[in-house]
Amino acid sequence: MVRAIVGGNWGDEGKGKITDMLGAQSDVVVRFQGGANAGHTIINEYGRAALHLLPSGVFNPHAVNVIGQGVALDLDKLFRELDDEVLSKGVPTPKLLISDRAHVLMPYHIQFDTLEEMRLADKAYGSTKSGIAPFYSDKVMKKGIQVCEIFHDDLLLEHLQEIAALKNAQLTDIYHIDQREPRSEAEKKLFSPIDPKEMFDYLVSFRDRLRPLVGDVASFLHQCIREGKQILLEGQLGSLKDTDNGIYPMVTSSSPLAGFACVGAGIPPYAISDVITVVKAYSSAVGAGAFVSEILDPVQAEELRRRGGDKGEYGATTGRPRRVGWFDAVATRYGCRIQGATEVALTKLDVLSYMKEIPVCTQYEANGEKTDDFPFTAVIDEAKPVLTTVPGWGCDISGVRKYEDLPQAARDYVEYVEKAIGVHISYVSVGAGRDE
Ligand code: GDP
């Protein structure tokens, strides 16, 4: 059985916890897109771990953790994460399979991401500067380096020389690195041209560690499907950050949709039987971009931000404060639809326990008209939320383990959300821990 766990909002829905919970019962956990630009927070018997690139099955000694060809593979971050977040906590060495076709996110992708955000100044995308947009641009431009190339010296060096010639021209012509005065060691690196030999040595330095982990992911997964193994596809970010269907251009550069696993891991489309879409009981978003139900009052927003998640709504990768808002039925219904949600996990219901009355965004109002549909970005930017308030429950629900034991008002809220998005809510989460 192949199940996907994906985000129905802007990311940070709490997918990590649901994946960790279901990862414990899975034979295979697969990452199929994105890179180290977002993080899952996982709290289990080993403590609190922030995973950015590793699949959540690393805590399950029986699971094979797959990094598919759709992932932006930052090798330096991958091995640091394996050492710092997993092995140093006493977790047994996880089983890892990395696609030989995955592309490698190079240090110069981070350099280009940083330089482009500097060039854009106040129009910057709010990138995490993890190199994601330059990485995927290179891949589509056919200027990427695939994992299997690391084992072919001549091919690799020649390829890096070609790439460096193009990129060094861009570094001087577009970013004028030759005219910059570096003020620190970091800036010195940022304003340096790419040395293909240095990049070659960088990649080759991972060879020994990488060799036993690399393989043909699609063929492995086909075999697992044939054997009836439990496979979990782990999405990063959420629907509204999808390049094609999200709030373009304030989106990510890969597809966080369950359907993309067919491409990013080589899974047959008909094999995915369940798309568990994780949706948050309120809203949050990182970086710039349309966010209709955003709480604009700074005091009210800070209150929700402080109480959100297990440590407040601050980015797992960057520590940036997240923008927060009320539950947005318009965006979430759309987000579930484009994921092809078969069921929903509603997270962080406990966070709203402090509210006497809870506003919910039921429609958007744009150009004097109310709409139930999620519009094109320029219209969303103009849209105002149509808010309705529903009663709060006003007590701590974090100890509740059965749906029937939730206070009536909390159940009413869950059922209100379920009706608004039109997808069955099969999990309700009331805390960050695996059993909550
Ligand atoms: P992801 O990117 O979707 O995996 O989201 P994160 O892993 O960044 O989750 C956001 C935060 O919410 C983390 O700190 C989680 O521990 C926390 N979290 C997840 N589910 C719940 C919940 O139901 N209640 C509370 N209070 N925190 C939760």
Side-chain angles (χ1 to χ4, degrees):
M1 184 188 187
V2 183
R3 285 190 291 192
I5 298 185
V6 286
N9 302 129
W10 295 262
D12 309 313
E13 295 92 350
K15 294 178 291 297
K17 173 193 158 163
I18 309 290
T19 328
D20 179 54
M21 195 177 89
L22 297 179
Q25 314 151 8
S26 300
D27 302 309
V28 184
V29 184
V30 186
R31 275 287 306 269
F32 56 89
Q33 51 80 222
N37 51 323
H40 282 319
T41 311
I42 288 174
I43 298 171
N44 57 23
E45 67 267 36
Y46 296 104
R48 189 178 199 276
L51 297 186
H52 302 271
L53 264 169
L54 288 168
S56 305
V58 288
F59 298 104
N60 170 358
H62 308 293
V64 178
N65 294 277
V66 172
I67 297 192
Q69 44 274 29
V71 170
L73 183 61
D74 182 329
L75 289 167
D76 177 45
K77 289 202 179 120
L78 177 85
F79 288 118
R80 270 199 280 144
E81 188 170 304
L82 183 60
D83 292 339
D84 300 348
E85 299 292 321
V86 180
L87 300 177
S88 72
K89 294 191 168 143
V91 181
T93 305
K95 294 183 198 146
L96 206 56
L97 174 65
I98 297 173
S99 171
D100 51 4
R101 289 190 151 79
H103 283 236
V104 182
L105 189 140
M106 299 293 290
Y108 54 75
H109 290 131
I110 297 170
Q111 181 183 14
F112 271 81
D113 203 354
T114 311
L115 288 168
E116 179 60 7
E117 288 286 283
M118 279 170 78
R119 189 186 71 84
L120 289 169
D122 59 343
K123 293 204 170 57
Y125 292 104
S127 158
T128 57
K129 302 193 184 91
S130 313
I132 302 296
F135 166 88
Y136 281 108
S137 309
D138 272 1
K139 181 169 171 172
V140 178
M141 284 270 289
K142 295 168 289 230
K143 297 285 178 283
I145 303 278
Q146 289 181 290
V147 164
C148 49
E149 286 180 65
I150 298 177
F151 304 97
H152 297 272
D153 284 358
D154 295 346
L155 177 77
L156 181 63
L157 188 59
E158 196 185 318
H159 201 177
L160 283 165
Q161 280 161 343
E162 270 172 40
I163 292 171
L166 171 74
K167 298 219 162 276
N168 284 336
Q170 292 171 335
L171 285 172
T172 45
D173 296 351
I174 303 172
Y175 298 111
H176 310 293
I177 56 160
D178 49 335
Q179 295 163 33
R180 304 277 198 154
E181 289 290 334
R183 285 165 304 181
S184 61
E185 271 310 301
E187 281 201 355
K188 208 166 143 197
K189 259 183 131 166
L190 186 63
F191 303 143
S192 293
I194 298 164
D195 175 354
K197 181 65 176 64
E198 194 189 319
M199 289 302 108
F200 176 87
D201 293 342
Y202 168 79
L203 289 173
V204 166
S205 73
F206 296 106
R207 223 183 237 174
D208 291 346
R209 239 183 141 181
L210 206 49
R211 199 186 305 273
L213 310 177
V214 173
D216 180 340
V217 158
S219 110
F220 171 74
L221 291 174
H222 277 247
Q223 186 61 29
C224 292
I225 292 168
R226 258 205 300 276
E227 289 168 6
K229 297 252 165 80
Q230 292 287 340
I231 300 172
L232 198 65
L233 307 172
E234 183 176 13
Q236 178 221 35
L237 295 168
S239 308
L240 303 165
K241 292 282 183 184
D242 179 64
T243 324
D244 289 280
N245 300 282
I247 49 169
Y248 191 86
M250 297 303 180
V251 290
T252 193
S253 304
S254 69
S255 174
L257 302 186
F260 188 73
C262 303
V263 179
I267 300 229
Y270 51 80
I272 306 173
S273 50
D274 201 1
V275 180
I276 304 170
T277 305
V278 185
V279 158
K280 204 145 129 165
Y282 53 92
S283 302
S284 76
V286 179
F291 187 14
V292 176
S293 70
E294 181 166 16
I295 303 171
L296 300 173
D297 175 55
V299 178
Q300 231 184 356
E302 187 49 32
E303 170 95 69
L304 181 54
R305 185 177 301 118
R306 190 172 55 77
R307 293 172 180 270
D310 78 308
K311 278 195 167 181
E313 290 291 351
Y314 301 94
T317 304
T318 58
R320 280 191 289 188
R322 295 176 183 146
R323 297 158 70 197
V324 289
W326 305 120
F327 177 78
D328 182 337
V330 181
T332 310
R333 187 166 47 236
Y334 176 78
C336 288
R337 187 183 303 148
I338 60 173
Q339 285 290 7
T342 54
E343 53 184 308
V344 159
L346 184 71
T347 56
K348 313 200 193 188
L349 189 65
D350 55 301
V351 172
L352 294 176
S353 297
Y354 74 101
M355 305 275 304
K356 280 206 173 62
E357 285 191 313
I358 308 169
V360 175
C361 170
T362 54
Q363 286 185 305
Y364 291 174
E365 190 171 341
N367 302 324
E369 279 180 35
K370 288 187 179 157
T371 178
D372 293 325
D373 296 323
F374 192 70
F376 163 64
T377 311
V379 180
I380 310 176
D381 283 334
E382 303 293 312
K384 301 263 172 303
V386 177
L387 295 173
T388 268
T389 44
V390 297
W393 43 94
C395 62
D396 180 14
I397 55 169
S398 56
V400 176
R401 293 293 170 269
K402 283 200 204 120
Y403 184 67
E404 311 80 81
D405 297 340
L406 280 176
Q408 185 62 46
R411 275 185 283 157
D412 288 346
Y413 187 81
V414 174
E415 283 153 36
Y416 185 92
V417 168
E418 182 172 83
K419 195 152 172 264
I421 58 179
V423 184
H424 176 58
I425 296 177
S426 43
Y427 300 90
V428 176
S429 169
V430 294
R434 198 185 262 183
D435 63 327
E436 290 175 305

